[in-house]
């Protein structure tokens, strides 16, 4: 992987499905394996930024928005501009509310779907893995992330409405693949926040596997529902530090192995 870096988008237009928790803990899990990892917050809410300990993203002067602005204006970027070095061994390109204005700007410029890809190409050789934490929408920022990505990981809850929402997401991914990024593929679907003790969760997982299992990889790892995962965001640390012997830590460690294989 060191000689062929990979860009992965963590994507689902539904909110609250564990995108940010997955991106953070998968990224830090890969870093713990010795990979060079860049996490990119592609959400104006700055959830990933806050989850990594930067609790006031709106006060930051250099973020993804400023970097993309320079790419649009064809201004030079200093090496490592805007990138923060987080204490658990990953790099972070943060985001804040300025990214919402950038999304509006993107609509009116040439090559608007590929501005993020243009930027990532300038830093890609410095990393083994770049993880993009997408916002909960299918707007221009998400299109940019899909255009820049090699693969997509789709976190989804074991819930009927999450399963219905997959149809729209799959259409969007298919459209990006056909029109902008022919190399885009789906790495797999990750089931999150599942309580496998209930027959409802088991039925949804079985329905997901029967509906998409022949077309797509469904990760063997199932992330259990746990308050521990939510607590990590407030503490600004990964699940590996917050609850090292817990079920969620074990799940993300297993996912890291699946993704790296």
């Amino acid at each position: 992987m060191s000689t062929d870096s990979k860009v992965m988008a963590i994507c689902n237009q539904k909110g609250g499905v564990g995108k940010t928790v997955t991106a953070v803990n998968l990224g830090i899990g890969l870093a713990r394996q010795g990979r060079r990892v860049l996490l990119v917050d592609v959400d104006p809410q700055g959830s990933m930024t806050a989850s990594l300990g930067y609790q006031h993203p709106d006060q930051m002067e250099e973020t993804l928005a400023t970097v993309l602005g320079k790419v649009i204006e064809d201004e030079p970027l200093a090496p490592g501009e805007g990138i923060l070095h987080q204490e658990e061994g990953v790099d972070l390109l943060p985001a804040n509310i300025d990214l919402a204005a950038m999304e509006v700007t993107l609509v009116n410029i040439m090559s608007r779907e590929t501005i993020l890809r243009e930027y990532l190409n300038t830093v890609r050789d410095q990393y083994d893995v770049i993880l993009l934490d997408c916002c909960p929408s299918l707007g221009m920022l998400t299109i940019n992330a899909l255009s820049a990505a090699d693969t997509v990981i789709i976190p989804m809850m074991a819930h009927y409405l999450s399963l219905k929402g997959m149809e729209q997401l799959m259409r969007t991914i298919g459209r990006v693949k056909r029109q902008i990024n022919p190399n885009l593929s789906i790495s797999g679907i990750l089931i999150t926040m599942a309580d496998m003790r209930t027959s409802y969760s088991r039925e949804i997982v079985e329905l997901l596997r029967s509906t998409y299992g022949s077309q797509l990889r469904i990760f063997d790892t199932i992330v259990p529902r746990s308050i521990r995962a939510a607590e990590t965001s407030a503490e600004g640390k990964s699940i590996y530090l917050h609850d090292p012997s817990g079920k969620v830590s074990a799940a993300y460690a297993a996912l890291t192995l699946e993704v790296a294989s």
Side-chain angles (χ1 to χ4, degrees):
M1 199 175 267
S2 61
T3 57
D4 185 19
S5 65
K6 183 172 287 188
V7 179
M8 300 180 184
I10 313 298
C11 183
N12 193 322
Q13 79 273 23
K14 286 186 66 65
V17 298
K19 287 190 298 296
T20 298
V21 172
T22 295
V24 166
N25 290 295
L26 175 58
I28 290 176
L30 290 167
R32 289 161 69 98
Q33 290 185 347
R35 312 299 173 96
R36 301 170 300 168
V37 178
L38 173 64
L39 301 178
V40 182
D41 194 342
V42 196
D43 186 349
Q45 297 176 79
S47 298
M48 171 185 271
T49 302
S51 294
L52 286 167
Y54 304 94
Q55 297 293 336
H56 303 287
D58 290 344
Q59 297 177 12
M60 290 181 165
E61 293 185 2
E62 291 189 337
T63 64
L64 177 60
T66 55
V67 166
L68 294 182
K70 287 194 172 185
V71 173
I72 291 169
E73 297 298 329
D74 202 24
E75 298 178 10
L77 286 164
E81 184 169 347
I83 293 176
L84 305 171
H85 306 289
Q86 204 266 351
E87 60 184 11
E88 290 190 64
V90 294
D91 284 356
L92 168 70
L93 183 54
N96 60 20
I97 195 63
D98 293 343
L99 197 56
M102 177 54 62
E103 181 161 35
V104 175
T105 300
L106 285 171
V107 172
N108 298 310
I109 65 170
M110 292 178 61
S111 304
R112 57 184 177 268
E113 300 94 347
T114 57
I115 297 300
L116 178 58
R117 180 167 69 191
E118 186 176 344
Y119 165 72
L120 292 179
N121 285 340
T122 69
V123 298
R124 186 164 177 157
D125 63 352
Q126 300 168 37
Y127 297 98
D128 300 312
V129 181
I130 299 175
L131 284 171
L132 311 177
D133 183 28
C134 298
C135 55
S137 76
L138 294 177
M140 189 54 63
L141 289 172
T142 297
I143 298 299
N144 260 262
L146 293 174
S147 300
D150 301 304
T151 64
V152 185
I153 293 176
I154 304 171
M156 64 169 290
M157 294 174 65
H159 194 285
Y160 179 71
L161 291 178
S162 295
L163 190 60
K164 291 296 290 181
M166 278 286 294
E167 298 170 8
Q168 184 181 6
L169 178 59
M170 296 298 292
R171 285 197 298 270
T172 298
I173 292 173
R175 192 178 308 120
V176 171
K177 182 178 177 66
R178 289 192 304 273
Q179 300 180 5
I180 307 169
N181 183 6
N183 296 319
L184 182 64
S185 65
I186 297 175
S187 180
I189 297 172
L190 172 68
I191 300 164
T192 63
M193 292 183 278
D195 185 351
M196 298 303 288
R197 297 171 300 179
T198 67
S199 58
Y200 177 74
S201 288
R202 293 194 299 270
E203 288 170 5
I204 293 297
V205 170
E206 181 57 34
L207 181 58
L208 176 67
R209 293 189 188 281
S210 64
T211 304
Y212 292 104
S214 62
Q215 313 164 45
L216 300 172
R217 178 183 187 182
I218 313 253
F219 289 111
D220 294 331
T221 300
I222 295 178
V223 180
R225 181 179 295 279
S226 171
I227 191 62
R228 298 291 188 189
E231 291 171 349
T232 60
S233 299
E235 292 200 4
K237 62 177 64 171
S238 74
I239 194 69
Y240 304 107
L241 291 184
H242 179 72
D243 188 26
S245 59
K247 292 181 180 179
V248 179
S249 294
Y252 279 113
L255 176 66
T256 299
L257 294 175
E258 280 198 79
V259 170
S261 63

